[in-house]
Amino acid sequence: MWRGLRIALATLVALIAWTVFVAAGTYEGWWRPMPAPPGDTAAFAAAAKARYAAESKGNIALALLVHGKVAGTYFASHGKPVDGDTLFQVASMSKWVTAFGVMALVEQHRIDLDTPVSHYLKRWHLPPSPFDNNAVTVRRLLSHTAGLTDDLGYLGFAPGQKLQTLPQSLTRTGDPMPGRSGLVRVGQPAGSWRYSGGGFAMLQLTIEDVAGEDFNTYMRRTVLAPLGMKESTFVAPDPAHLATFYGTDGKPAIHYKFTALAAASLYTSLNDMTRFVQAQLPGAHGVVTPQTLALMRTPVARVAGIPIWGLGTILYTGNGAGGFIVGHDGNNYPAINTTARLDPATGDGIVMLSTGNPTLASAIGADWTWWHTGHVDTMAMVIESQATLEIFGAGAIVILLAAILVGWRGRRRAE
């Protein structure tokens, strides 16, 4: 019996040690290859081109920034050509741009970050909940810490489908991603991070009710036009300027449209999105003050003690200068994937818009963060979680088989 207990204890210790090893290795990038020599922008661009060629049958528009200036661009498509002015639908990257529209109202003292959002809403209110609806503030909506449990994920409406009104969508979303309830409600205490597209739909309604105009008009007047993003829009653009949507099979795919514009519906070009990123650099003319930019990059949400989210802004990893690599990714059906990442301390960054592969832009963005900082970012760990689980599972099986073998041999000897 004692031998069995010793084997069980040793197995448990080995499993714990293996878990720590895999977690540390993933976080530190022990088995992650460097895509290019540090500082070699041309080599990184070549690696990104090669990855697109190998992994996508769609299209790509890519820009690399060095010290705030465009150091290189790359465009490719398996069909209709794309260039710097071609419009892509950028999915959840819309949230990052929306956050600047919210913060402009904060600077005007028309919205307070810590006032319950219900104070501003006129056409819809959160349903009753056993949790505190008054804890749903603008600050918490921007950082996905309001206790909302919708987990949206908007799929969008196919051509011919009638779009919901925004209050209808907030009551029960008609276009949730598979497996999502479509109900926007407070389902847990506020404070912990849980991604919520419904929260940004609430912010869209807040902007409209406070500003007294439709969301797209407000965003074009307040954010897009002042930054020179003349072609960008949250509603359907001129089809002649729109990139073809490709599925993973390389065939043209459905162009979905959205009621939740703030969460998923920005159409923008590589040139326009690059202007948006450059406007956040020190000394640039932006739509909010440097103090507000710093606030947006201040950690609000943490997972396992790691800061991951500010106000509408993903904090990918530390930049080695007391701040973070900041930006946002976007992912939606059929195979839309986008990313924009910036190191505010150096002005270096990456912007990538693509269709045809649902993870390619995020993966190349994660490669850029690793190449630029030597740190694995939060998005990379999400993208590679399946591979991490496979590594852990393989090691755990070996440990368990070894324990079984040792126990079996011990019994044979005892006999």
Side-chain angles (χ1 to χ4, degrees):
M1 183 181 76
W2 290 111
R3 177 180 175 79
L5 288 175
R6 287 197 299 272
I7 292 173
L9 181 59
T11 302
L12 178 61
V13 170
L15 286 171
I16 292 172
W18 177 242
T19 301
V20 172
F21 175 80
V22 171
T26 300
Y27 185 74
E28 296 294 338
W30 290 344
W31 40 78
R32 185 181 184 86
M34 188 62 70
D40 190 338
T41 303
F44 182 88
K49 294 175 187 179
R51 189 159 188 177
Y52 164 79
E55 299 181 21
S56 178
K57 297 178 181 179
N59 47 30
I60 178 177
L62 170 70
L64 293 171
L65 301 178
V66 176
H67 303 316
K69 298 185 181 300
V70 176
T73 58
Y74 175 61
F75 305 97
S77 176
H78 287 263
K80 177 183 173 182
V82 298
D83 60 26
D85 294 320
T86 303
L87 294 173
F88 286 75
Q89 193 180 57
V90 298
S92 287
M93 194 188 287
S94 309
K95 296 179 175 70
W96 194 29
V97 180
T98 295
F100 282 79
V102 173
M103 297 308 291
L105 289 171
V106 172
E107 289 190 345
Q108 296 167 22
H109 305 291
R110 300 173 71 183
I111 286 178
D112 180 82
L113 286 171
D114 297 311
T115 295
V117 72
S118 60
H119 175 78
Y120 303 108
L121 298 178
K122 300 174 183 177
R123 292 174 286 156
W124 180 86
H125 295 283
L126 280 161
S129 166
F131 302 98
D132 185 8
N133 282 0
N134 286 328
V136 181
T137 63
V138 173
R139 187 189 303 274
R140 285 175 170 153
L141 290 174
L142 285 167
S143 57
H144 301 279
T145 58
L148 301 181
T149 52
D150 55 90
D151 299 319
L152 293 167
Y154 293 94
L155 172 61
F157 295 90
Q161 284 187 290
K162 183 179 179 180
L163 270 66
Q164 292 178 293
T165 66
L166 190 54
Q168 287 172 340
S169 178
L170 284 164
T171 298
R172 180 179 282 275
T173 302
D175 61 331
M177 286 287 189
R180 308 295 193 266
S181 71
L183 298 174
V184 180
R185 63 185 182 88
V186 180
Q188 65 182 33
S192 59
W193 182 84
R194 184 164 176 172
Y195 193 81
S196 169
F200 271 77
M202 290 178 67
L203 290 171
Q204 177 181 335
L205 189 64
T206 300
I207 285 174
E208 292 187 346
D209 285 352
V210 171
E213 57 188 325
D214 71 84
F215 177 75
N216 187 58
T217 299
Y218 168 82
M219 289 298 296
R220 284 182 62 85
R221 176 177 61 81
T222 305
V223 178
L224 305 180
L227 296 181
M229 301 171 70
K230 296 180 180 179
E231 301 301 322
S232 298
T233 177
F234 282 85
V235 297
D238 181 351
H241 296 157
L242 187 62
T244 302
F245 292 70
Y246 288 101
T248 56
D249 58 1
K251 296 179 180 178
I254 293 174
H255 171 198
Y256 291 98
K257 298 182 181 180
F258 294 87
T259 294
L261 305 178
S265 190
L266 177 65
Y267 300 85
T268 191
S269 67
L270 184 72
N271 288 344
D272 276 6
M273 198 64 204
T274 300
R275 292 185 187 101
F276 177 79
V277 171
Q278 290 171 319
Q280 300 181 44
L281 293 170
H285 175 68
V287 296
V288 297
T289 65
Q291 292 77 17
T292 295
L293 277 176
L295 181 63
M296 295 176 74
R297 299 165 182 168
T298 300
V300 178
R302 289 176 167 81
V303 172
I306 301 172
I308 63 165
W309 229 274
L311 299 181
T313 305
I314 296 178
L315 311 176
Y316 290 98
T317 191
N319 64 357
F324 298 90
I325 303 299
V326 300
H328 214 290
D329 282 38
N331 180 277
N332 215 331
Y333 280 14
I336 294 169
N337 192 214
T338 61
T339 191
R341 302 175 190 217
L342 172 69
D343 183 349
T346 66
D348 296 352
I350 182 172
V351 180
M352 180 173 164
L353 315 178
S354 71
T355 73
N357 183 313
T359 60
L360 181 63
S362 293
I364 290 176
D367 282 347
W368 179 88
T369 304
W370 171 239
W371 170 74
H372 179 70
T373 67
H375 299 298
V376 179
D377 70 33
T378 54
M379 193 60 63
M381 286 187 272
V382 171
I383 294 170
E384 297 162 10
S385 59
Q386 182 63 39
T388 302
L389 287 174
E390 290 173 0
I391 292 170
F392 171 78
I397 289 171
V398 170
I399 292 169
L400 292 172
L401 288 175
I404 292 169
L405 180 61
V406 169
W408 178 75
R409 285 182 172 177
R411 289 184 63 182
R412 289 288 302 271
R413 288 170 183 167
E415 292 173 356

